[in-house]
Amino acid sequence: MPMFIPGKPLTALATALFIGLVFLCLPYSRTRLDLSPQPTCNNRPPDDVIPNQVHFVYILKNTSHDFNFEFSHFLSIYAAWHYWRPQAIYLHTNVAADSPEVARARNGTAGKWNHYIFTIFDLKINEVDVPTHAGNGMELQNIEHKSDFVRVKAVYELGGVYIDFDVHPLRDIRPLRESGFKAIAGRQLGGQINSGTFMSTRGGKMVKLWMEQMHVAYNGGWTTHSNEVITRVGQRLVREPGEMLILERDAFAPGSWKDEDTDALFAVHEDTPSNLRNDTAIAQGMQLPSHDEAFADRWDHPERFADWERDWSHTYLLHAFTPDRWQHKVPGFEHITPRYVLERRSNFARAVYPVARVLFEQGLINVDDSHTGL
Ligand SMILES: *[C@@H]1O[C@H](CO)[C@@H](O)[C@H](O)[C@H]1NC(C)=O
Ligand SMILES: *[C@@H]1O[C@H](CO)[C@@H](O)[C@H](O)[C@H]1NC(C)=O
Ligand SMILES: *[C@@H]1O[C@H](CO)[C@@H](O)[C@H](O)[C@H]1NC(C)=O
């Protein structure tokens, strides 16, 4: 009676399958991301630690136009580099590293801030195919939504920290990355998790579920596929040990898009003396004051602090929601320029001043540089 004996043929088949898998998975691309909603190789186990690499996404509406990064964007990347010393800074964009757009940014044709961003960080420029539709067939209506899909996939495939260009690192986040949690994000006004800053291990469960479900959830709503999905998935995952840490609002997104919050962040307090009031000292190349605070200064020396001044001690990343989008005029505020920050007459300026001071002392910025750098 013929019996099935699991012998050589099966072993050979298993070996062939195994070699096939290895072969399929080895050329796993770390430089060019495929953005179609398809599963990637599953035999490579996810990592346990969130790697020290940062992801930015910037999609050009017209790929034959210049990058138009401003001083505030440079400040954001520089702060990430200054406080975190990342192993890699990725720029996921829709032109190639050897494109004329990148060449013009590098050689200064597109202004000072583009020149800096593309020359001083050893940016890893990752050309992505920008998705046009969600997996459910809905057309992606604007650049912000396309960016949402690119960012989640990038962090899923590479692991690391994603921040929007209007997010300003205020301190190191190594203790968070190394906390043992595989994904970390923070709440915003109203309680949802904000999708403008998040971090994950490569292949982490939270980003994987978010990446899959955003394709189903997309309906053209501003945050249906982003904040709503990361909130739903992230909150559900907290019960699985180590999968998700949700931080309070002040950790990453202390302000908001509301007028009173953008005013509190950006408004210039004209009655406060400028940190640059001594033009003679600046002209002579003197050091700018550090304004470092000792632990108990706020209690022991309340007279040193303005009543409008916010304590940023419990903020890691300042998501500085722009007032531009809503055409709201913030009192005394025009643009984030070196002078605006170095004068230290707003809460935003005081938060990012330590990094601007380093840039000033290194001669990278001048008081009169414009926000566009042109
Ligand atoms: C992109 O910009 C170029 C140059 O300004 C213009 O000729 C072209 O029509 C634009 N393309 C699209 C798709 O808008
Ligand atoms: C900058 O690069 C662009 C694109 O390669 C080129 O056309 C232009 O001549 C360059 N400008 C300078 C000043 O090197
Ligand atoms: C401005 O700085 C110069 C050079 O350090 C110093 O001599 C002068 O006293 C300062 N003036 C004020 C008003 O602080």
Side-chain angles (χ1 to χ4, degrees):
M1 193 174 153
M3 277 179 65
F4 180 68
I5 300 168
K8 271 196 178 139
L10 207 59
T11 316
L13 181 65
T15 310
L17 268 175
F18 177 75
I19 290 171
L21 271 177
V22 169
F23 192 74
L24 265 176
C25 296
L26 268 184
Y28 182 87
S29 168
R30 281 189 154 263
T31 49
R32 194 182 158 95
L33 303 183
D34 174 5
L35 288 158
S36 54
Q38 66 192 7
T40 47
C41 256
N42 273 334
N43 67 330
R44 211 168 146 226
D47 298 328
D48 285 335
V49 171
I50 299 171
N52 188 14
Q53 50 189 13
V54 196
H55 301 274
F56 290 91
V57 175
Y58 193 91
I59 295 167
L60 292 167
K61 277 192 185 128
N62 180 332
T63 50
S64 56
H65 285 183
D66 275 332
F67 283 93
N68 52 1
F69 288 120
E70 300 187 352
F71 173 60
S72 63
H73 303 113
F74 172 57
L75 200 54
S76 164
I77 301 195
Y78 195 90
W81 183 80
H82 175 76
Y83 289 120
W84 307 344
R85 299 293 150 135
Q87 288 150 5
I89 302 178
Y90 284 91
L91 178 68
H92 305 279
T93 186
N94 51 344
V95 291
D98 60 0
S99 63
E101 292 69 36
V102 171
R104 286 199 301 271
R106 278 209 177 103
N107 73 17
T109 314
K112 181 170 185 171
W113 312 124
N114 289 291
H115 172 63
Y116 280 173
I117 286 173
F118 285 90
T119 51
I120 68 181
F121 299 113
D122 189 23
L123 269 193
K124 291 191 190 305
I125 297 167
N126 178 41
E127 186 188 5
V128 295
D129 295 321
V130 179
T132 57
H133 292 78
N136 63 11
M138 287 269 306
E139 188 174 356
L140 301 180
Q141 283 155 9
N142 55 45
I143 294 278
E144 289 85 350
H145 289 166
K146 291 172 181 173
S147 158
D148 289 334
F149 283 81
V150 172
R151 69 179 69 166
V152 178
K153 184 131 201 233
V155 172
Y156 171 73
E157 300 209 329
L158 298 164
V161 185
Y162 169 82
I163 60 174
D164 280 348
F165 273 106
D166 59 356
V167 172
H168 298 267
L170 303 188
R171 62 196 78 261
D172 197 6
I173 52 162
R174 175 191 290 265
L176 294 176
R177 282 191 304 98
E178 297 183 350
S179 64
F181 284 95
K182 292 181 183 155
I184 305 175
R187 297 201 190 268
Q188 65 174 25
L189 173 68
Q192 278 190 344
I193 296 177
N194 183 272
S195 57
T197 61
F198 58 94
M199 54 191 100
S200 173
T201 55
R202 180 179 55 78
K205 189 164 179 178
M206 191 281 285
V207 271
K208 180 171 191 289
L209 291 171
W210 182 12
M211 180 178 70
E212 289 164 359
Q213 293 186 19
M214 70 194 303
H215 281 280
V216 180
Y218 187 77
N219 66 0
W222 188 247
T223 56
T224 321
H225 56 288
S226 54
N227 295 357
E228 282 184 31
V229 177
I230 188 184
T231 302
R232 187 169 68 229
V233 166
Q235 291 187 164
R236 193 73 185 161
L237 278 176
V238 171
R239 66 186 191 162
E240 297 188 16
E243 291 295 347
M244 180 74 190
L245 172 66
I246 304 172
L247 296 176
E248 54 132 356
R249 175 179 163 197
D250 281 356
F252 295 168
S256 84
W257 48 89
K258 289 180 134 184
D259 291 353
E260 68 252 37
D261 283 327
T262 49
D263 287 355
L265 183 64
F266 290 113
V268 172
H269 296 269
E270 309 281 359
D271 51 348
T272 302
S274 164
N275 182 55
L276 298 178
R277 62 187 174 282
N278 194 339
D279 287 339
T280 318
I282 290 158
Q284 289 171 357
M286 305 276 292
Q287 284 203 326
L288 291 173
S290 73
H291 298 284
D292 287 340
E293 282 176 40
F295 184 78
D297 280 357
R298 297 229 170 202
W299 308 301
D300 294 349
H301 302 284
E303 74 287 354
R304 291 184 194 163
F305 299 89
D307 55 358
W308 53 263
E309 186 169 354
R310 188 167 175 141
D311 182 2
W312 294 112
S313 302
H314 49 294
T315 295
Y316 293 93
L317 302 169
L318 170 56
H319 195 150
F321 296 94
T322 173
D324 298 351
R325 185 171 285 156
W326 323 106
Q327 276 87 50
H328 169 64
K329 178 76 182 79
V330 175
F333 172 74
E334 291 296 335
H335 299 288
I336 300 171
T337 60
R339 178 181 293 279
Y340 168 77
V341 173
L342 294 174
E343 285 197 321
R344 292 186 83 253
R345 296 202 288 176
S346 72
N347 274 310
F348 178 82
R350 293 194 174 193
V352 300
Y353 173 76
V355 170
R357 177 173 174 261
V358 169
L359 292 169
F360 182 78
E361 310 240 296
Q362 295 189 353
L364 288 169
I365 64 174
N366 297 312
V367 171
D368 293 321
D369 287 335
S370 72
H371 67 291
T372 59
L374 289 164

mmCIF file of all heavy atoms in Angstrom, residues 304-323:
data_model
loop_
_atom_site.group_PDB
_atom_site.id
_atom_site.type_symbol
_atom_site.label_atom_id
_atom_site.label_comp_id
_atom_site.label_asym_id
_atom_site.label_seq_id
_atom_site.Cartn_x
_atom_site.Cartn_y
_atom_site.Cartn_z
ATOM 1 N N ARG A 304 12.101 87.236 36.588
ATOM 2 C CA ARG A 304 12.856 87.083 35.335
ATOM 3 C C ARG A 304 11.979 86.619 34.171
ATOM 4 O O ARG A 304 12.439 86.543 33.045
ATOM 5 C CB ARG A 304 13.970 86.041 35.516
ATOM 6 C CG ARG A 304 15.077 86.492 36.433
ATOM 7 C CD ARG A 304 16.171 85.431 36.456
ATOM 8 N NE ARG A 304 17.096 85.655 37.545
ATOM 9 C CZ ARG A 304 17.940 84.739 38.016
ATOM 10 N NH1 ARG A 304 17.959 83.530 37.482
ATOM 11 N NH2 ARG A 304 18.752 85.020 39.013
ATOM 12 N N PHE A 305 10.736 86.267 34.469
ATOM 13 C CA PHE A 305 9.895 85.671 33.426
ATOM 14 C C PHE A 305 8.665 86.526 33.163
ATOM 15 O O PHE A 305 8.001 86.974 34.094
ATOM 16 C CB PHE A 305 9.482 84.250 33.838
ATOM 17 C CG PHE A 305 10.665 83.348 34.029
ATOM 18 C CD1 PHE A 305 11.298 83.257 35.276
ATOM 19 C CD2 PHE A 305 11.185 82.637 32.962
ATOM 20 C CE1 PHE A 305 12.415 82.454 35.449
ATOM 21 C CE2 PHE A 305 12.299 81.830 33.127
ATOM 22 C CZ PHE A 305 12.926 81.737 34.367
ATOM 23 N N ALA A 306 8.420 86.751 31.875
ATOM 24 C CA ALA A 306 7.248 87.534 31.500
ATOM 25 C C ALA A 306 5.984 86.733 31.779
ATOM 26 O O ALA A 306 6.012 85.493 31.769
ATOM 27 C CB ALA A 306 7.328 87.893 30.017
ATOM 28 N N ASP A 307 4.883 87.454 32.036
ATOM 29 C CA ASP A 307 3.652 86.722 32.365
ATOM 30 C C ASP A 307 3.118 85.934 31.164
ATOM 31 O O ASP A 307 2.384 84.968 31.320
ATOM 32 C CB ASP A 307 2.582 87.666 32.932
ATOM 33 C CG ASP A 307 2.294 88.821 32.001
ATOM 34 O OD1 ASP A 307 2.946 88.915 30.935
ATOM 35 O OD2 ASP A 307 1.404 89.637 32.320
ATOM 36 N N TRP A 308 3.497 86.343 29.948
ATOM 37 C CA TRP A 308 3.036 85.605 28.754
ATOM 38 C C TRP A 308 3.918 84.403 28.434
ATOM 39 O O TRP A 308 3.593 83.591 27.588
ATOM 40 C CB TRP A 308 2.998 86.531 27.521
ATOM 41 C CG TRP A 308 4.285 87.277 27.253
ATOM 42 C CD1 TRP A 308 4.584 88.550 27.632
ATOM 43 C CD2 TRP A 308 5.436 86.787 26.543
ATOM 44 N NE1 TRP A 308 5.850 88.894 27.219
ATOM 45 C CE2 TRP A 308 6.397 87.826 26.541
ATOM 46 C CE3 TRP A 308 5.760 85.585 25.904
ATOM 47 C CZ2 TRP A 308 7.649 87.699 25.932
ATOM 48 C CZ3 TRP A 308 7.000 85.450 25.301
ATOM 49 C CH2 TRP A 308 7.931 86.502 25.319
ATOM 50 N N GLU A 309 5.021 84.280 29.142
ATOM 51 C CA GLU A 309 6.029 83.292 28.754
ATOM 52 C C GLU A 309 5.665 81.876 29.182
ATOM 53 O O GLU A 309 5.407 81.597 30.341
ATOM 54 C CB GLU A 309 7.375 83.681 29.386
ATOM 55 C CG GLU A 309 8.484 82.791 28.921
ATOM 56 C CD GLU A 309 9.861 83.317 29.315
ATOM 57 O OE1 GLU A 309 9.955 84.450 29.853
ATOM 58 O OE2 GLU A 309 10.827 82.586 29.096
ATOM 59 N N ARG A 310 5.696 81.000 28.226
ATOM 60 C CA ARG A 310 5.326 79.621 28.480
ATOM 61 C C ARG A 310 6.557 78.804 28.878
ATOM 62 O O ARG A 310 7.651 79.032 28.381
ATOM 63 C CB ARG A 310 4.713 79.043 27.211
ATOM 64 C CG ARG A 310 4.128 77.679 27.411
ATOM 65 C CD ARG A 310 3.262 77.263 26.253
ATOM 66 N NE ARG A 310 2.837 75.895 26.476
ATOM 67 C CZ ARG A 310 1.633 75.421 26.207
ATOM 68 N NH1 ARG A 310 0.715 76.217 25.691
ATOM 69 N NH2 ARG A 310 1.333 74.153 26.439
ATOM 70 N N ASP A 311 6.338 77.847 29.789
ATOM 71 C CA ASP A 311 7.416 76.941 30.180
ATOM 72 C C ASP A 311 7.373 75.724 29.242
ATOM 73 O O ASP A 311 6.407 74.967 29.251
ATOM 74 C CB ASP A 311 7.196 76.506 31.636
ATOM 75 C CG ASP A 311 8.311 75.587 32.130
ATOM 76 O OD1 ASP A 311 9.261 75.315 31.357
ATOM 77 O OD2 ASP A 311 8.234 75.144 33.293
ATOM 78 N N TRP A 312 8.423 75.574 28.440
ATOM 79 C CA TRP A 312 8.450 74.484 27.453
ATOM 80 C C TRP A 312 9.086 73.204 28.008
ATOM 81 O O TRP A 312 9.345 72.267 27.253
ATOM 82 C CB TRP A 312 9.237 74.922 26.205
ATOM 83 C CG TRP A 312 8.602 76.023 25.434
ATOM 84 C CD1 TRP A 312 9.053 77.299 25.280
ATOM 85 C CD2 TRP A 312 7.362 75.956 24.691
ATOM 86 N NE1 TRP A 312 8.180 78.041 24.489
ATOM 87 C CE2 TRP A 312 7.149 77.228 24.125
ATOM 88 C CE3 TRP A 312 6.424 74.945 24.459
ATOM 89 C CZ2 TRP A 312 6.023 77.512 23.346
ATOM 90 C CZ3 TRP A 312 5.325 75.222 23.686
ATOM 91 C CH2 TRP A 312 5.135 76.500 23.137
ATOM 92 N N SER A 313 9.326 73.165 29.319
ATOM 93 C CA SER A 313 10.060 72.025 29.901
ATOM 94 C C SER A 313 9.450 70.668 29.566
ATOM 95 O O SER A 313 10.165 69.686 29.432
ATOM 96 C CB SER A 313 10.107 72.135 31.425
ATOM 97 O OG SER A 313 10.715 73.332 31.807
ATOM 98 N N HIS A 314 8.134 70.607 29.472
ATOM 99 C CA HIS A 314 7.501 69.295 29.263
ATOM 100 C C HIS A 314 7.078 69.080 27.804
ATOM 101 O O HIS A 314 6.209 68.263 27.523
ATOM 102 C CB HIS A 314 6.329 69.086 30.226
ATOM 103 C CG HIS A 314 5.359 70.223 30.286
ATOM 104 N ND1 HIS A 314 5.693 71.467 30.776
ATOM 105 C CD2 HIS A 314 4.075 70.308 29.914
ATOM 106 C CE1 HIS A 314 4.645 72.261 30.699
ATOM 107 N NE2 HIS A 314 3.651 71.597 30.167
ATOM 108 N N THR A 315 7.731 69.804 26.913
ATOM 109 C CA THR A 315 7.474 69.604 25.485
ATOM 110 C C THR A 315 8.734 69.055 24.816
ATOM 111 O O THR A 315 9.811 69.620 24.973
ATOM 112 C CB THR A 315 7.039 70.932 24.832
ATOM 113 O OG1 THR A 315 5.783 71.310 25.390
ATOM 114 C CG2 THR A 315 6.901 70.806 23.326
ATOM 115 N N TYR A 316 8.584 67.949 24.105
ATOM 116 C CA TYR A 316 9.705 67.378 23.344
ATOM 117 C C TYR A 316 9.765 67.984 21.946
ATOM 118 O O TYR A 316 10.822 68.329 21.439
ATOM 119 C CB TYR A 316 9.525 65.863 23.164
ATOM 120 C CG TYR A 316 9.602 65.046 24.418
ATOM 121 C CD1 TYR A 316 8.447 64.723 25.136
ATOM 122 C CD2 TYR A 316 10.822 64.565 24.870
ATOM 123 C CE1 TYR A 316 8.515 63.933 26.281
ATOM 124 C CE2 TYR A 316 10.898 63.776 26.006
ATOM 125 C CZ TYR A 316 9.741 63.472 26.704
ATOM 126 O OH TYR A 316 9.808 62.696 27.825
ATOM 127 N N LEU A 317 8.583 68.026 21.320
ATOM 128 C CA LEU A 317 8.491 68.480 19.930
ATOM 129 C C LEU A 317 7.398 69.528 19.871
ATOM 130 O O LEU A 317 6.274 69.265 20.302
ATOM 131 C CB LEU A 317 8.081 67.315 19.019
ATOM 132 C CG LEU A 317 8.961 66.076 19.011
ATOM 133 C CD1 LEU A 317 8.269 64.943 18.262
ATOM 134 C CD2 LEU A 317 10.283 66.402 18.359
ATOM 135 N N LEU A 318 7.740 70.665 19.347
ATOM 136 C CA LEU A 318 6.744 71.736 19.278
ATOM 137 C C LEU A 318 6.116 71.750 17.882
ATOM 138 O O LEU A 318 6.747 72.182 16.912
ATOM 139 C CB LEU A 318 7.418 73.077 19.589
ATOM 140 C CG LEU A 318 6.579 74.332 19.336
ATOM 141 C CD1 LEU A 318 5.267 74.298 20.104
ATOM 142 C CD2 LEU A 318 7.377 75.577 19.699
ATOM 143 N N HIS A 319 4.901 71.252 17.802
ATOM 144 C CA HIS A 319 4.180 71.316 16.527
ATOM 145 C C HIS A 319 3.595 72.730 16.430
ATOM 146 O O HIS A 319 2.607 73.041 17.072
ATOM 147 C CB HIS A 319 3.080 70.262 16.489
ATOM 148 C CG HIS A 319 2.545 70.020 15.114
ATOM 149 N ND1 HIS A 319 2.047 68.830 14.697
ATOM 150 C CD2 HIS A 319 2.451 70.846 14.043
ATOM 151 C CE1 HIS A 319 1.653 68.905 13.436
ATOM 152 N NE2 HIS A 319 1.889 70.126 13.022
ATOM 153 N N ALA A 320 4.256 73.545 15.626
ATOM 154 C CA ALA A 320 3.878 74.965 15.543
ATOM 155 C C ALA A 320 2.897 75.151 14.394
ATOM 156 O O ALA A 320 3.268 75.525 13.292
ATOM 157 C CB ALA A 320 5.128 75.819 15.346
ATOM 158 N N PHE A 321 1.654 74.860 14.674
ATOM 159 C CA PHE A 321 0.601 74.951 13.643
ATOM 160 C C PHE A 321 0.632 76.348 13.027
ATOM 161 O O PHE A 321 0.561 77.353 13.722
ATOM 162 C CB PHE A 321 -0.767 74.695 14.262
ATOM 163 C CG PHE A 321 -0.930 73.314 14.816
ATOM 164 C CD1 PHE A 321 -0.680 73.053 16.156
ATOM 165 C CD2 PHE A 321 -1.321 72.268 13.999
ATOM 166 C CE1 PHE A 321 -0.826 71.776 16.679
ATOM 167 C CE2 PHE A 321 -1.473 70.980 14.503
ATOM 168 C CZ PHE A 321 -1.224 70.734 15.853
ATOM 169 N N THR A 322 0.733 76.377 11.706
ATOM 170 C CA THR A 322 0.879 77.662 11.048
ATOM 171 C C THR A 322 -0.430 78.444 11.007
ATOM 172 O O THR A 322 -1.494 77.862 10.772
ATOM 173 C CB THR A 322 1.400 77.485 9.607
ATOM 174 O OG1 THR A 322 1.372 78.746 8.971
ATOM 175 C CG2 THR A 322 0.533 76.517 8.809
ATOM 176 N N PRO A 323 -0.348 79.735 11.248
ATOM 177 C CA PRO A 323 -1.559 80.546 11.125
ATOM 178 C C PRO A 323 -1.867 80.858 9.665
ATOM 179 O O PRO A 323 -2.974 81.279 9.337
ATOM 180 C CB PRO A 323 -1.214 81.829 11.889
ATOM 181 C CG PRO A 323 0.276 81.910 11.855
ATOM 182 C CD PRO A 323 0.794 80.516 11.731
#
